[in-house]
């Protein structure tokens, strides 16, 4: 006979309590999740992140560490070199043993050891010039890092301002869409009451759909610009990043005026790429001098300490043989005079000369580029200042025209086509003003960048 255990009925009261508790916890956690996903980022924070995470800057810093290590090694060449060597042997067959002074056919165990040191007294000042060359190379790499930081700041400022501009254009597009929808609703009422033609309703509905499409396009442009900035900053792409407006005094910028000569002198004094190239030229000069030292004699002082042990000398133990009986010391003065080395020195000197000539040509080209960059930047900056004034006047005129056309339309003497045309001009004026505002900030940033004075804030 089989016995079946009766299933226990679930406690509904406990189940309801558990479900209520779960829902409460979920509702309390949800705002926290949303809070984590929404992150605000200022311009200064964006620049700091870019400078910290940029791959090229980190690679340049690694190169700087290598340059500093090479500089330390150049200084170390002024000290004597010191080496120790030891050799152990087991020899079979007939042989001559230095420790006993006789031939033997026994199995012999031998141990040789030695300490050698060498100090360069003169090598045509190659060591001194190499030290200076490595020092200038390290300084050039340091300026390369700073120039890379300027490049990163300039790139981030471009992308950040593009995001802010697209945000403003999206706001304008949404505001226009709202007005178009409100106007479409009003015209629909007018049509129903018989005060307006049905064609006006269709035309306005078409304008509203066009405005909605413009919003979609602006949202897409904003998304693309955000993706590019997030990629540059290498931040979490799954968070909803909110980019804030930087503090920017437009009135001060509009009043700024500087001469081309002053800006060029500022650039010459501050441009890191110019300082880098100057140090590269100095490094090439010292490298050429170090190469020419190969024509000079080389004089060095040497010291050698040798000792050996053999198991054939049964009267003396290992310690006595190595440190007392069999050790020898040699002090030597070595002179090496180069006579002919298959033109290798001449070839190396020619190579160093051409590297120096190319470095000087690069500096000349850079100085010309700086002048051209500043000329273009100043012209663009002055144009951006004038564009601000013109855009402001355009917005005021378009706003007054829109108000007048709305009044004409309300009184029934205007038509929907004229109203849409004037409204489109007003929206275009707002967009032009937004672009002019951010273009002014960008041109001010570009001007600072080409002068080498760009910092982490706008």
């Amino acid at each position: 006979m089989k016995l079946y255990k009766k299933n226990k009925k679930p406690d509904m009261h406990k189940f309801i309590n558990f479900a209520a508790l779960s829902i409460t916890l979920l509702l309390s956690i949800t705002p926290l999740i949303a809070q984590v996903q929404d992150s605000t980022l200022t311009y200064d924070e964006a620049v700091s992140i870019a400078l910290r995470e940029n791959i090229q800057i980190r690679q340049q810093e690694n190169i700087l560490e290598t340059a500093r290590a090479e500089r330390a090694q150049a200084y170390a060449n002024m000290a004597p070199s010191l080496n120790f060597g030891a050799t152990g042997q087991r020899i079979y067959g007939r042989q001559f043993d230095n420790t006993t002074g006789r031939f033997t056919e026994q199995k012999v165990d031998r141990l040789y050891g030695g300490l050698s040191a060498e100090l360069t007294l003169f090598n045509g000042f190659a060591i001194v010039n190499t030290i200076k060359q490595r020092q200038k190379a390290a300084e050039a790499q340091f300026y390369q890092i700073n120039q890379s930081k300027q490049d990163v700041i300039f790139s981030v400022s471009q992308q950040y301002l593009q995001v802010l501009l697209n945000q403003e254009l999206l706001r304008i597009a949404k505001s226009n869409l709202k007005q178009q929808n409100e106007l479409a609703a009003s015209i629909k009422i007018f049509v129903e009451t018989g005060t307006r033609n049905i064609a006006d309703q269709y035309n306005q509905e078409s304008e509203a759909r066009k405005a909605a499409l413009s919003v979609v396009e602006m949202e897409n442009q904003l998304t693309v610009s955000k993706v590019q900035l997030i990629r540059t900053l290498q931040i979490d792409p799954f968070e909803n990043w909110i980019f804030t407006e930087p503090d920017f005094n437009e009135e001060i910028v509009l009043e700024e005026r500087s001469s081309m000569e002053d800006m060029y002198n500022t650039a010459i004094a501050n441009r890191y790429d110019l300082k880098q190239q100057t140090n590269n030229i100095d490094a090439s000069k010292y490298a050429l001098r170090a190469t020419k030292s190969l024509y000079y004699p080389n004089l060095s002082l040497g010291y050698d300490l040798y000792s050996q042990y053999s198991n054939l000398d049964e009267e003396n133990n290992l310690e006595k043989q190595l440190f007392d009986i069999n050790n020898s010391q040699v002090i030597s003065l070595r002179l090496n005079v180069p006579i002919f080395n298959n033109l290798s020195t001449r070839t190396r000197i020619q190579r160093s000369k051409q590297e120096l000539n190319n470095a000087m040509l690069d500096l000349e080209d850079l100085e010309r580029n700086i002048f051209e960059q500043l000329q273009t930047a100043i012209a663009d900056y002055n144009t951006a200042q004038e564009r601000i004034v013109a855009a402001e006047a355009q917005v005021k005129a378009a706003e007054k025209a829109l108000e007048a056309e709305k009044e004409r339309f309300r009184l029934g003497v205007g038509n929907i086509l004229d109203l849409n045309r004037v409204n489109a001009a007003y929206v275009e004026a707002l967009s032009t003003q937004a672009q002019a505002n951010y273009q002014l900030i960008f041109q001010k940033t570009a001007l600072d960048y080409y002068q080498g004075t760009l910092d982490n804030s706008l």
Side-chain angles (χ1 to χ4, degrees), residues 24 37 51 82 115 120 145 182 192 206 249 260-261 263 277 338 354 375 450 454:
T24 302
Q37 291 178 343
L51 293 176
L82 184 64
L115 188 68
T120 300
I145 293 175
E182 291 175 353
E192 291 175 353
S206 175
N249 196 326
M260 176 65 193
E261 183 180 358
M263 291 187 179
Q277 192 57 35
Q354 300 314 315
Q375 278 190 319
Y450 291 127
L454 186 62

Side-chain angles (χ1 to χ4, degrees), residues 38-52 153 156-157 159-161 163-164 167 229-230 233 235 239-248 455-458:
D38 292 337
S39 300
T40 302
L41 196 65
T42 65
Y43 174 79
D44 293 345
E45 291 172 343
V47 171
S48 299
I49 292 173
L51 293 176
R52 184 178 66 249
I153 295 174
V156 170
S157 66
Q159 296 179 356
Y160 195 94
L161 291 174
V163 170
L164 297 182
Q167 287 180 169
L229 179 57
I230 289 172
L233 301 180
I235 54 181
E239 292 191 30
N240 183 28
W241 293 99
I242 300 174
F243 301 95
T244 61
E245 292 275 350
D247 294 330
F248 185 77
D455 54 23
N456 293 8
S457 58
L458 290 176

Side-chain angles (χ1 to χ4, degrees), residues 42 54 102 224 276 362:
T42 65
N54 186 264
R102 64 179 184 271
V224 172
Q276 175 196 1
D362 288 338

Side-chain angles (χ1 to χ4, degrees), residues 312-328:
L312 294 180
D313 188 357
E314 299 178 353
E315 296 179 359
N316 300 297
N317 58 18
L318 174 66
E319 181 179 356
K320 190 173 183 179
Q321 289 188 49
L322 289 178
F323 299 103
D324 187 15
I325 300 176
N326 297 329
N327 66 69
S328 59

Side-chain angles (χ1 to χ4, degrees), residues 146-147 150 153 262-263 265-272 374 444-458:
N146 284 277
Q147 182 59 43
Q150 289 271 298
I153 295 174
D262 292 339
M263 291 187 179
N265 291 333
T266 301
I268 295 299
N270 292 281
R271 286 276 292 249
Y272 290 113
L374 284 175
K444 178 63 171 63
T445 303
L447 201 57
D448 292 340
Y449 170 72
Y450 291 127
Q451 293 181 90
T453 58
L454 186 62
D455 54 23
N456 293 8
S457 58
L458 290 176

Side-chain angles (χ1 to χ4, degrees), residues 56-270:
Q56 286 74 25
I57 292 178
R58 291 158 66 183
Q59 290 175 335
Q60 293 294 336
E61 289 173 345
N62 293 335
I63 296 175
L64 177 60
E65 291 300 318
T66 302
R68 287 173 174 171
E70 292 176 345
R71 180 184 60 188
Q73 188 267 331
Y75 275 104
N77 285 337
M78 299 184 68
S81 61
L82 184 64
N83 297 282
F84 171 78
T87 303
Q89 295 179 341
R90 172 165 288 182
I91 304 175
Y92 301 89
R94 182 176 175 80
Q95 57 190 292
F96 182 79
D97 183 63
N98 293 328
T99 58
T100 61
R102 64 179 184 271
F103 286 94
T104 180
E105 294 183 359
Q106 299 180 26
K107 177 180 67 176
V108 181
D109 292 330
R110 288 178 179 163
L111 177 63
Y112 299 94
L115 188 68
S116 62
E118 185 174 6
L119 176 63
T120 300
L121 301 178
F122 179 77
N123 63 347
F125 305 104
I127 294 179
V128 175
N129 287 313
T130 300
I131 290 175
K132 294 180 179 179
Q133 185 260 331
R134 298 287 172 80
Q135 175 65 33
K136 290 299 181 180
E139 292 178 6
Q141 184 58 35
F142 173 77
Y143 289 124
Q144 171 64 44
I145 293 175
N146 284 277
Q147 182 59 43
S148 297
K149 290 180 179 179
Q150 289 271 298
D151 297 339
V152 169
I153 295 174
F154 187 55
S155 176
V156 170
S157 66
Q158 286 181 295
Q159 296 179 356
Y160 195 94
L161 291 174
Q162 187 62 50
V163 170
L164 297 182
L165 173 59
N166 290 337
Q167 287 180 169
E168 180 64 17
L169 295 177
L170 176 59
R171 186 194 65 78
I172 294 173
K174 287 183 176 180
S175 177
N176 180 51
L177 175 60
K178 181 180 178 181
Q179 294 178 10
Q180 294 295 339
N181 287 334
E182 291 175 353
L183 183 59
S186 300
I187 293 178
K188 184 177 181 182
I189 295 175
F190 291 153
V191 170
E192 291 175 353
T193 58
T195 57
R196 284 290 175 181
N197 192 295
I198 189 66
D200 291 342
Q201 178 180 346
Y202 293 152
N203 286 328
Q204 184 54 37
E205 288 177 353
S206 175
E207 288 296 323
R209 293 189 180 95
K210 186 187 299 183
L213 178 60
S214 178
V215 170
V216 173
E217 292 174 346
M218 290 299 103
E219 288 177 341
N220 179 65
Q221 291 183 14
L222 177 59
T223 300
V224 172
S225 60
K226 279 187 174 182
V227 168
Q228 293 175 347
L229 179 57
I230 289 172
R231 172 66 182 86
T232 299
L233 301 180
Q234 299 184 21
I235 54 181
D236 188 359
F238 296 102
E239 292 191 30
N240 183 28
W241 293 99
I242 300 174
F243 301 95
T244 61
E245 292 275 350
D247 294 330
F248 185 77
N249 196 326
E250 186 177 288
E251 295 181 358
I252 296 179
V253 176
L254 288 174
E255 296 175 356
E256 284 188 0
R257 292 292 187 275
S258 297
S259 66
M260 176 65 193
E261 183 180 358
D262 292 339
M263 291 187 179
Y264 182 76
N265 291 333
T266 301
I268 295 299
N270 292 281

